Amino acid sequence: MLGLMQDRPLLISHLIEHAARNHGDTEIVSRRVEGDLHRYTYADAHVRAKKMAEALQALGVVAGDRVGTLAWNGYRHFELYYAISGMGAVCHTINPRLFPEQIVYIVNHAEDRVLFVDLNLLPAVAKLAGQFKGVKHIVAMCGREQMPKDSGIPGLLCYEELLEGRPGTYAWPELDERTACSLCYTSGTTGNPKGVLYSHRATVLHAFAGSLPDTLNLSARSVVLPVVPMFHVNAWGLPYACAMVGAKIVFPGVALDGASLTALFETEKVSFTAGVPTVWLALLNHLAEKKQRLSTVRYAVIGGSAAPPAMIEAFQRDHGVEVLHAWGMTEMSPLGTVNHPKAKHAALDAAAQMANRLKQGRPPHGVEMAIVGDDGKELPHDGKAFGDLLVRGPWITSGYFKGEGGAVLREVPGRGGGWFATGDVATLDPDGYMQITDRSKDVIKSGGEWISSIDLENAAMAHPEVAEAAVIGIAHPKWDERPLLIVHRKAGSAVTKDALIQFLGSKVAKWWLPDDVQFVDGLPHTATGKILKTRLREDFKDYRLPTA
Ligand code: ADP
C-alpha cells in the first residue's frame, strides 16, 4: 500500500522561491571583481534569476542544454545557478585555474552552448574561444559600462544588457526531480577530467542534510562566507543550503588573500566560513602577522585536504573559532562527513579530544560507508583496521557523464550493491567517525606495511618553522618504498633536516620516520588547492634516498 502524501518534486527553483518568500529581505553581499561591494536580497536575486531564465530562453537555451560558467563567488554567479538549473538546463561550473587545454577539453566534452565569464577571466577565454566547438554565445558578467572595448571575443554579450527589459515573471517548470541540474568535472590529476552530473533531487537532499546541526549547522541566523569557490563542487552546496535556511551570504569574489577576507569577515559579521587548508594557512599567517583577531566567526569548515592539528589549534586558541573538519568529493555533491563531537567526548582530556577532531567526522543520514580489504570483504569498524572506503547514498554519483570510466558501482558482500569506491583509504570507529589515512595512490608501502602520508604531513606541519609539508614514497631496494619529507620553510627559517627528524621522532613510530628531508621554495597545488603529489613524484623521480 502506498502512502497518501503529496508527491511534490524536490527542485532547485523551490529553494530560491522559498528564500524570496520567507527571507525576502535577507542580504546577499558580494565583493565584485570590479572591487566594490554589491548588496541586495533574496527577493532581488529571485527576480533577476527569472529574468536570466527569460534571457537564456531568448538565446535558444532549452532543457538539458549545458551552460558553462567561468566565474568567482558573486551574486551574478548565484543567479546563474538558479536560472540555469531552474529552467531545466545544466549549470556547468568550470574551474578557471585549470590548464587552458583542460578548460577546452571540458567545455567541448560538456558541449556547453553558452559560456558566462567574469570580467578578469575574459582575456584568458579570448585565447581559447576559437577552440570551443559548440559554444554559441559568450557573456561577460558585468554591466554595459564595464564591457571591454576590444575583448577579442567576437559577438561578446553583456550580462546586464541581457536582463534589461525582461519581465521577470518566468514560471519555473515543474521538472522531474531526477532531472540533471549541474555538472562539475573532477580535477583529474591523472587522465582527462570526468564529469559528475548532479540532479535536482540529489542537490535538495544534500542541502537538507548539509544544514543539520551536526553537519554545517546553518540557520536564518547564520552569516555565511563561502571561500570555497562556486566552481569547486558548487561551493560545497552552500548556495543551495543558505537559500533553504535563509542565511545571509557574503561572496568574496576574487580577493581571497588574508587582508581582504579579514575585512569582509569583520564588516559583514560573518559567523560561518568554509575553505581548503591552503587558504586558511594564508589567512592565519596574515592574522598572526597583523596581531588581529577574528571577532564574529564561530565556525570554519576545513575540507578538501586533511586539516592539520596546528591549524585547528590556531583557529580555536587565537580566534575562538570552532573548526569543522569535513570530508567529501566531487562525486558526493560533495558532503560525506563532518566532525562534531558527541556529548560523551566532553569528558575526554584535551589530547584525546584533539585526536578525535583530527578525524574526518561522521556521515549525516544519507551517506552509508564501508571499508574493505584487498579481498573486497568488509573490515571491522574498530578505528584501527583500514581499507578502501566505499560510499552509497542519494547524493552520490552512479557513474560519470557520458559513461566515461565505465561502471563505477560495486558490491560489498553482505551489504548489497551500489557502492562507489572513493579512492581513499580510511578507518571507521564504533562511533561512526571516519579517518582518512591516505589517497590510495599516495599511501607509502614500506616492507609490506602502510605508512600514512597524511599523518606524517600533519606531524611535520606542527613544527613552528614549517609553512607547508608533503610526504611521498620513494622506491627503496629493501623496503619497496620509504617516505621522503618535502618541506617549504617559513620565511627566514633555517630549520635543518636533523631538527625536523628529531621533532617527528616524538610524534610518529620510529619506522615511519622519513629517510630524508628535501627543502623547496614552495609546493605545487592542484586547481582546487590540494598538494599536487603527481608533480612532486615527477620532480623527484631521479632522486635517490641516502638509505637506498
Ligand atoms: P578535486 O579537488 O581533486 O577536484 P575532490 O574535491 O572531489 O577533487 O577531491 C576529493 C578528495 O579530496 C577526497 O577523495 C579526499 O582524498 C580528499 N579530501 C577531501 N577532504 C579531505 C579531508 N578532510 N581530509 C583528507 N582528504 C580529504
Side-chain angles (χ1 to χ4, degrees), residues 415-426:
R415 287 185 72 186
W419 294 88
F420 176 79
T422 61
D424 287 321
V425 177

Side-chain angles (χ1 to χ4, degrees), residues 185-189 232-233 236 302-307 325-332 334 337 360 422-424 436 438-439 454 526-530:
Y185 281 73
T186 60
S187 36
T189 40
H232 190 193
V233 213
W236 300 346
I302 303 184
S305 301
H325 191 191
W327 165 86
M329 57 197 310
T330 310
E331 290 86 340
M332 300 179 73
T337 59
Q360 275 68 14
T422 61
D424 287 321
I436 305 247
D438 246 317
R439 280 304 279 170
I454 293 184
T526 68
T528 51
K530 296 183 212 298

Side-chain angles (χ1 to χ4, degrees), residues 174-474:
E174 287 284 314
L175 307 164
D176 182 322
E177 65 179 12
R178 292 163 303 174
T179 303
C181 61
S182 55
L183 176 65
C184 184
Y185 281 73
T186 60
S187 36
T189 40
T190 51
N192 274 325
K194 294 198 281 289
V196 178
L197 188 63
Y198 307 105
S199 68
H200 285 258
R201 173 185 154 80
T203 304
V204 173
L205 289 173
H206 180 266
F208 271 121
S211 309
L212 289 170
D214 265 5
T215 317
L216 303 181
N217 193 16
L218 298 171
S219 77
R221 294 164 300 289
S222 308
V223 180
V224 174
L225 189 150
V227 178
V228 52
M230 291 170 80
F231 51 75
H232 190 193
V233 213
N234 301 321
W236 300 346
L238 289 169
Y240 306 113
C242 288
M244 177 176 272
V245 301
K248 171 177 166 180
I249 310 180
V250 183
F251 286 123
V254 68
L256 303 182
D257 59 286
S260 308
L261 286 179
T262 305
L264 264 191
F265 285 144
E266 293 300 312
T267 54
E268 297 304 323
K269 302 195 168 39
V270 170
S271 66
F272 175 102
T273 183
V276 298
T278 32
V279 172
W280 298 141
L281 203 62
L283 173 77
L284 290 169
N285 281 342
H286 166 83
L287 291 167
E289 214 171 87
K290 300 277 178 233
K291 300 199 171 30
Q292 262 176 297
R293 189 175 192 278
L294 297 176
S295 67
T296 61
V297 180
R298 275 239 26 228
Y299 295 111
V301 178
I302 303 184
S305 301
M311 190 175 281
I312 299 179
E313 269 162 12
F315 265 120
Q316 178 80 53
R317 183 192 58 226
D318 303 339
H319 304 283
V321 173
E322 189 176 335
V323 163
L324 305 180
H325 191 191
W327 165 86
M329 57 197 310
T330 310
E331 290 86 340
M332 300 179 73
S333 297
L335 280 180
T337 59
V338 184
N339 193 322
H340 287 266
K342 293 187 175 180
K344 65 179 178 184
H345 294 134
L348 296 176
D349 64 30
Q353 288 200 19
M354 179 52 94
N356 204 49
R357 297 230 83 128
L358 288 181
K359 298 188 175 190
Q360 275 68 14
R362 288 176 280 123
H365 174 69
V367 176
E368 293 172 80
M369 307 214 270
I371 44 170
V372 298
D374 288 337
D375 57 2
K377 294 214 182 86
E378 217 183 341
L379 295 167
H381 296 192
D382 58 7
K384 292 191 191 75
F386 52 85
D388 291 321
L389 177 64
L390 308 183
V391 290
R392 183 166 73 174
W395 55 84
I396 296 168
T397 192
S398 63
Y400 293 101
F401 188 42
K402 296 186 172 175
E404 240 26 90
V408 299
L409 300 185
R410 50 193 262 200
E411 180 127 355
V412 175
R415 287 185 72 186
W419 294 88
F420 176 79
T422 61
D424 287 321
V425 177
T427 63
L428 290 169
D429 75 16
D431 290 320
Y433 290 79
M434 183 273 287
Q435 183 159 28
I436 305 247
T437 48
D438 246 317
R439 280 304 279 170
S440 51
K441 50 188 187 292
D442 294 339
V443 74
I444 298 156
K445 297 175 192 93
S446 171
E449 304 257 21
W450 286 11
I451 296 176
S452 158
S453 64
I454 293 184
D455 281 0
L456 277 176
E457 287 158 5
N458 277 344
M461 278 197 276
H463 191 285
E465 292 182 49
V466 171
E468 209 174 8
V471 174
I472 56 172
I474 298 281

Side-chain angles (χ1 to χ4, degrees), residues 36-279:
D36 60 344
L37 276 191
H38 172 274
R39 333 179 74 90
Y40 74 168
T41 63
Y42 276 114
D44 300 328
H46 188 212
V47 174
R48 280 172 52 94
K50 285 182 173 230
K51 288 186 180 182
M52 183 44 78
E54 288 158 358
L56 288 168
Q57 229 172 14
L59 289 178
V61 172
V62 297
D65 278 352
R66 271 76 70 197
V67 176
T69 65
L70 272 156
W72 311 105
N73 291 5
Y75 67 107
R76 292 191 183 107
H77 205 176
F78 181 79
E79 291 161 7
L80 288 170
Y81 262 47
Y82 284 97
I84 299 167
S85 303
M87 70 184 292
V90 178
C91 180
H92 170 209
T93 54
I94 305 163
N95 186 338
R97 298 197 189 100
L98 291 172
F99 294 117
E101 53 275 24
Q102 282 182 314
I103 294 181
V104 171
Y105 172 85
I106 286 178
V107 167
N108 290 336
H109 189 268
E111 300 173 64
D112 290 331
R113 280 179 67 98
V114 183
L115 211 52
F116 285 84
V117 184
D118 256 334
L119 260 186
N120 69 333
L121 297 170
L122 283 172
V125 168
K127 290 200 195 108
L128 307 177
Q131 300 172 62
F132 297 153
K133 295 206 180 92
V135 175
K136 300 268 185 307
H137 305 283
I138 297 183
V139 185
M141 293 168 70
C142 62
R144 191 178 279 137
E145 347 40 274
Q146 291 98 25
M147 280 298 280
K149 293 273 166 310
D150 185 18
S151 66
I153 300 172
L156 181 69
L157 297 173
C158 165
Y159 189 100
E160 293 302 328
E161 267 178 38
L162 281 181
L163 299 188
E164 268 166 31
R166 306 268 170 213
T169 52
Y170 185 86
W172 302 114
E174 287 284 314
L175 307 164
D176 182 322
E177 65 179 12
R178 292 163 303 174
T179 303
C181 61
S182 55
L183 176 65
C184 184
Y185 281 73
T186 60
S187 36
T189 40
T190 51
N192 274 325
K194 294 198 281 289
V196 178
L197 188 63
Y198 307 105
S199 68
H200 285 258
R201 173 185 154 80
T203 304
V204 173
L205 289 173
H206 180 266
F208 271 121
S211 309
L212 289 170
D214 265 5
T215 317
L216 303 181
N217 193 16
L218 298 171
S219 77
R221 294 164 300 289
S222 308
V223 180
V224 174
L225 189 150
V227 178
V228 52
M230 291 170 80
F231 51 75
H232 190 193
V233 213
N234 301 321
W236 300 346
L238 289 169
Y240 306 113
C242 288
M244 177 176 272
V245 301
K248 171 177 166 180
I249 310 180
V250 183
F251 286 123
V254 68
L256 303 182
D257 59 286
S260 308
L261 286 179
T262 305
L264 264 191
F265 285 144
E266 293 300 312
T267 54
E268 297 304 323
K269 302 195 168 39
V270 170
S271 66
F272 175 102
T273 183
V276 298
T278 32
V279 172

